[in-house]
Amino acid sequence: TVVCMVPWLVMSFWLFMVTYLQHHSDDGKLYTDDTFTFERGAFETVDRDYGKWINRMSHHMMDGHVIHHLFFTKVPHYRLEEATSALVKGMNERGQGDMYKSIDTPHFTQEIVKQFNENWFFIDEKQVVRK
């Protein structure tokens, strides 16, 4: 069981952690059915920079996550880094750079514990966007 369970547990933790952190941040907003749009939801996801080698080994799926949500049918994984740079540049040129979220997360295990402790079941009413 050790041969099968340990790799499975490591991979499961990694996938859960990456997915959770890409969709949660301290300043994340919650939209009601009346205020949600596809674009708003996509820009609430977070590009997480785990460091050069982890980003590269994961095909930039963590630091190119916003692009994945916006253009998932158009941008293949091997263009995520280039597409993310183009998105950031274009948004900054249009004065919309504040919509894009990128967080350096070199200590990802500490970050997942922090997010669990602070944001797991607690909804700050100030973060809910209502009509």
Side-chain angles (χ1 to χ4, degrees), residues 33-121:
D33 289 342
D34 295 331
T35 59
F36 177 82
T37 65
F38 178 81
E39 294 79 12
R40 280 181 161 179
F43 280 111
E44 284 307 310
T45 64
V46 181
D47 281 352
R48 297 266 183 180
D49 185 350
Y50 294 121
K52 179 181 177 179
W53 290 106
I54 293 177
N55 291 342
R56 186 174 288 168
M57 287 175 21
S58 65
H59 305 286
H60 296 282
M61 70 178 195
M62 284 95 77
D63 62 330
H65 195 72
V66 174
I67 283 289
H68 160 74
H69 274 273
L70 290 169
F71 304 108
F72 58 92
T73 61
K74 306 235 186 286
V75 179
H77 74 277
Y78 53 87
R79 296 278 191 231
L80 286 174
E81 185 177 24
E82 179 183 342
T84 298
S85 296
L87 174 72
V88 171
K89 180 181 176 200
M91 292 185 73
N92 285 334
E93 288 172 357
R94 290 172 183 77
Q96 298 172 318
D98 60 316
M99 291 175 60
Y100 171 77
K101 288 194 262 186
S102 178
I103 301 173
D104 288 337
T105 315
H107 306 290
F108 41 85
T109 54
Q110 293 170 358
E111 182 67 18
I112 192 75
V113 170
K114 176 186 155 213
Q115 289 296 327
F116 272 178
N117 287 338
E118 296 177 8
N119 298 324
W120 182 250
F121 288 112

Side-chain angles (χ1 to χ4, degrees), residues 2 11 14-15 17 30 49 79 83 120:
V2 172
M11 186 63 163
W14 179 257
L15 287 174
M17 181 196 67
L30 299 168
D49 185 350
R79 296 278 191 231
W120 182 250

